[in-house]
Amino acid sequence: MLIERSSNWKESFTERLEKDDGWDNWTLYNMAYEVAKSTLITDFRGLQSPNYLPNLTPFAHQLEVAETVIERMNGKAILADEVGLGKTIEAGLILKEYMIRGLVKKALILAPASLVNQWIDELNRKFHIPAMQFNKKYDLNHCDIVVMSIDMAKRSPHKERIYEQDFDLVIIDEAHKLKNHRTKNYEFVQHLKKKFCLLLTATPIQNDVFELFYLITLLKPGHLGNYETFQSAFSASKHNVEHEEFLRELVNQVMVRNTREATGIKWPDRHVEIIPIRFSPEERELYDMIAALKEHSDVFSDAFSVITLQREMCSSKEAVFYTLMNMREKCTSAEDLAAVDCLVLKLQALQMNSKAEQALKLIRKANDKVIIFTEYRATQSYLQAYLYEKGITSVLFNGKFSKSKRDWMKHLFQQNAQVLIATESGSEGINLQFCNYVVNYDLPWNPMKLEQRIGRVHRLGQQKDVHIYNLAVEDTIDDHIVELLHTKIGVFEKVVGELDAILTSYKMSI
């Protein structure tokens, strides 16, 4: 193919010379000049992104977080604001800022499946960032801002395709789920090629201090040394750490955390109360029979199995029944079978549930919408039937529901039902500011799960004081759980910072 130099320009040039025409349009020149000047960034300090976001008015603390991450942390940070303070907005500001400055062109956002659509909606609507949901038919080489669930991303063949990409920024929502360095999730994120990285979690420590160590190691390897160095330097154990001031200083170099109190925003008050429950004689007898099961063969010698049954007995006989029947199949001796069958008969004869009765009193006292959190789907079904008998309308919410069904349950709760009965899946990814009563029917081992639950209602947009009732059965495994929760809260506050009230003293009487 022959390429020739064009000479067409000569005619136009000659004509302009002979007729003394203007060389250009002065108005258009000025407009082009103003456009170029407006996009010129003369100073790296300060944010440009708010000038391009007419549909968003960020809070001061959100702008401060974005500035801190960009100017001091080089785009590698844990965003650890308390639940409900807008970590998604902060991450969006950082992404937008880097895009304006030309430092990010390709980004990956990993979130729980239930939050993928929410991320896409906010990035498109509030930040004018053309984010798209991952589709296996797409060529990732031509997709700039991709949102997908980490469960999908870590599986083949998607994993291999993602590993081929060079991402400028990776954002991981609910990053506390990476706390275990032995999981596929952790390994997957560790091998991503990324220049900048944001980990979003209100709960960087959930059970022990090593979870924070592994999160920071994922973000900036070596920042806290290796495992042995970290353990030695801070005399670290699961629930204790020394030299906490120095450790907190190191942590604050890679983590930004705002509390509600520090934002300067007027927040509704949070009222937390432990409600002690006393078992009836019949319930106490069953609880003691469960504790005695560990004396029977290898099936019940495992302390965890008996503890599970004890926790379930503090919830509902229905929860105990399902677990007990599964264990019964493993019984090999007539003595074991007799012990289990005796317990089953006692369960079937039990007619009351003291904790459910207390929950009903609280619901009637509230005379408003209430969220109940339970650890067991069997208890969830029981509570719905129990409340129906008492004339209380309720809807269920659990992880087995599809996204559309979860959305429908939320709608029914807001428009029709008085009570939402949720399992742990209801403590993440759903905003319920129209409700201000929370009943923690079953206490979790992890205090941060309590914070996640409360954060569904105590967040930006809540107009009323929030009331939290933690139910605990006296002289049972619940006593140990409450004690352990206080211990874990102490570790969190040593290393991360103050935590809003989620638990109060157990020294109360009915």
Side-chain angles (χ1 to χ4, degrees):
M1 177 179 174
L2 183 63
I3 300 177
E4 297 181 350
R5 190 188 301 272
S6 172
S7 60
N8 292 341
W9 63 273
K10 291 183 179 180
E11 296 178 6
S12 176
F13 180 71
T14 303
E15 184 178 356
R16 286 175 181 272
L17 282 175
E18 292 176 349
K19 294 184 178 181
D20 196 23
D21 281 349
W23 291 96
D24 210 334
N25 185 303
W26 182 245
T27 302
L28 291 177
Y29 172 81
N30 276 321
M31 291 173 65
Y33 174 78
E34 291 300 325
V35 168
K37 189 169 74 170
S38 69
T39 58
L40 186 65
I41 300 174
T42 57
D43 187 1
F44 198 81
R45 298 185 66 83
L47 298 179
Q48 302 294 319
S49 52
N51 301 324
Y52 299 88
L53 302 173
N55 298 331
L56 179 68
T57 305
F59 288 98
H61 72 273
Q62 295 168 339
L63 294 170
E64 186 178 341
V65 166
E67 284 190 23
T68 299
V69 170
I70 291 171
E71 295 176 8
R72 287 179 36 214
M73 298 181 174
N74 194 31
K76 294 181 179 179
I78 299 173
L79 306 188
D81 285 1
E82 287 187 323
V83 178
L85 292 185
K87 291 182 288 295
T88 305
I89 298 297
E90 294 165 358
L93 284 169
I94 294 166
L95 172 57
K96 185 73 172 182
E97 189 70 25
Y98 275 139
M99 291 178 72
I100 290 171
R101 295 176 183 273
L103 296 174
V104 168
K105 294 182 179 178
K106 197 173 188 66
L108 174 67
I109 294 97
L110 298 172
S114 60
L115 300 182
V116 167
N117 288 338
Q118 182 178 316
W119 267 95
I120 293 171
D121 176 65
E122 293 214 356
L123 289 178
N124 280 276
R125 181 168 49 85
K126 294 181 179 178
F127 294 95
H128 306 288
I129 295 174
M132 59 190 298
Q133 185 170 354
F134 174 78
N135 187 303
K136 62 183 180 181
K137 298 178 182 179
Y138 296 162
D139 183 349
L140 285 177
N141 292 308
H142 301 130
C143 301
D144 292 332
I145 313 296
V146 178
V147 184
M148 64 189 306
S149 75
I150 193 168
D151 288 333
M152 174 184 285
K154 72 182 180 185
R155 296 198 301 265
S156 296
H158 315 309
K159 176 177 70 174
E160 289 74 18
R161 294 173 60 193
I162 293 169
Y163 280 165
E164 292 172 358
Q165 303 299 311
D166 289 302
F167 294 105
D168 298 309
L169 173 63
V170 172
I171 299 172
I172 301 163
D173 198 5
E174 306 293 355
H176 49 268
K177 294 183 177 179
L178 301 174
K179 62 187 178 183
N180 187 342
H181 67 291
R182 296 187 179 91
T183 61
K184 289 184 178 180
N185 285 6
Y186 191 97
E187 181 185 1
F188 169 72
V189 173
Q190 194 172 35
H191 287 90
L192 290 174
K193 288 181 279 187
K194 50 193 180 294
K195 182 166 61 177
F196 305 121
C197 183
L198 302 176
L199 304 180
L200 279 59
T201 173
T203 55
I205 293 179
Q206 295 212 334
N207 286 295
D208 65 70
V209 72
F210 294 108
E211 295 170 350
L212 181 61
F213 167 78
Y214 284 116
L215 273 185
I216 292 177
T217 299
L218 184 65
L219 189 71
K220 292 187 74 173
H223 183 73
L224 296 178
N226 60 26
Y227 180 89
E228 290 75 16
T229 303
F230 174 76
Q231 190 177 37
S232 173
F234 300 103
S235 301
S237 61
K238 288 184 68 174
H239 299 146
N240 188 45
V241 67
E242 296 180 4
H243 312 297
E244 60 265 22
E245 290 185 9
F246 178 49
L247 177 56
R248 190 184 295 191
E249 183 179 331
L250 289 174
V251 169
N252 288 342
Q253 292 174 12
V254 293
M255 185 177 76
V256 188
R257 176 175 171 80
N258 285 300
T259 61
R260 295 176 186 85
E261 186 178 352
T263 60
I265 302 169
K266 176 61 177 175
W267 286 87
D269 290 335
R270 179 187 287 197
H271 306 279
V272 183
E273 185 178 351
I274 286 187
I275 307 295
I277 312 294
R278 283 203 185 99
F279 268 157
S280 67
E282 294 80 8
E283 289 170 311
R284 174 60 60 184
E285 181 186 5
L286 275 165
Y287 184 86
D288 292 341
M289 288 177 67
I290 289 172
L293 282 176
K294 57 188 174 186
E295 301 172 5
H296 293 272
S297 81
D298 292 337
V299 177
F300 301 106
S301 62
D302 177 14
F304 178 76
S305 299
V306 175
I307 288 173
T308 298
L309 288 169
Q310 287 176 314
R311 291 192 69 205
E312 289 171 338
M313 184 60 214
C314 291
S315 181
S316 71
K317 69 175 186 180
E318 286 75 11
V320 178
F321 181 81
Y322 282 106
T323 302
L324 199 60
M325 294 309 291
N326 288 332
M327 290 183 174
R328 187 183 188 278
E329 295 178 1
K330 301 176 184 178
C331 292
T332 56
S333 70
E335 182 183 1
D336 291 342
L337 285 171
V340 171
D341 289 342
C342 179
L343 188 53
V344 168
L345 289 173
K346 290 276 188 182
L347 283 170
Q348 291 173 337
L350 184 64
Q351 296 298 315
M352 69 176 301
N353 185 320
S354 298
K355 186 181 279 189
E357 290 178 2
Q358 182 62 59
L360 177 63
K361 291 178 184 177
L362 293 171
I363 292 167
R364 286 177 169 163
K365 178 183 175 183
N367 195 31
D368 203 343
K369 294 191 180 296
V370 178
I371 305 173
I372 296 180
F373 283 104
T374 176
E375 298 273 288
Y376 311 105
R377 285 202 297 273
T379 299
Q380 190 183 38
S381 299
Y382 160 73
L383 284 173
Q384 185 173 45
Y386 175 76
L387 293 177
Y388 177 78
E389 290 178 356
K390 304 300 181 181
I392 305 291
T393 55
S394 66
V395 293
L396 305 184
F397 195 97
N398 63 53
K400 294 294 184 180
F401 293 171
S402 65
K403 182 186 181 303
S404 59
K405 187 169 183 179
R406 287 159 65 100
D407 290 342
W408 178 239
M409 291 299 105
K410 176 182 174 180
H411 172 78
L412 288 178
F413 177 44
Q414 185 169 10
Q415 299 297 327
N416 302 102
Q418 183 184 353
V419 178
L420 178 77
I421 309 170
T423 56
E424 206 58 58
S425 64
S427 64
E428 293 182 352
I430 181 172
N431 302 332
L432 302 165
Q433 295 95 321
F434 56 85
C435 174
N436 64 310
Y437 287 91
V438 176
V439 175
N440 288 308
Y441 187 89
D442 299 317
L443 291 174
W445 293 105
N446 181 349
M448 297 304 107
K449 287 187 177 181
L450 283 177
E451 174 61 19
Q452 289 282 355
R453 293 174 180 182
I454 298 168
R456 298 310 97 209
V457 300
H458 198 212
R459 57 193 304 113
L460 290 170
Q462 178 59 261
Q463 302 297 317
K464 301 177 182 178
D465 284 1
V466 174
H467 300 267
I468 299 100
Y469 302 104
N470 298 315
L471 307 189
V473 182
E474 293 179 320
D475 300 320
T476 68
I477 188 66
D478 282 356
D479 288 342
H480 176 62
I481 293 174
V482 171
E483 182 181 350
L484 189 59
L485 287 172
H486 279 297
T487 299
K488 292 179 179 180
I489 289 170
V491 174
F492 184 97
E493 293 188 331
K494 267 188 175 183
V495 180
V496 178
E498 291 297 314
L499 187 67
D500 210 339
I502 60 174
L503 202 63
T504 52
S505 172
Y506 195 27
K507 304 300 182 182
M508 302 176 62
S509 58
I510 313 179

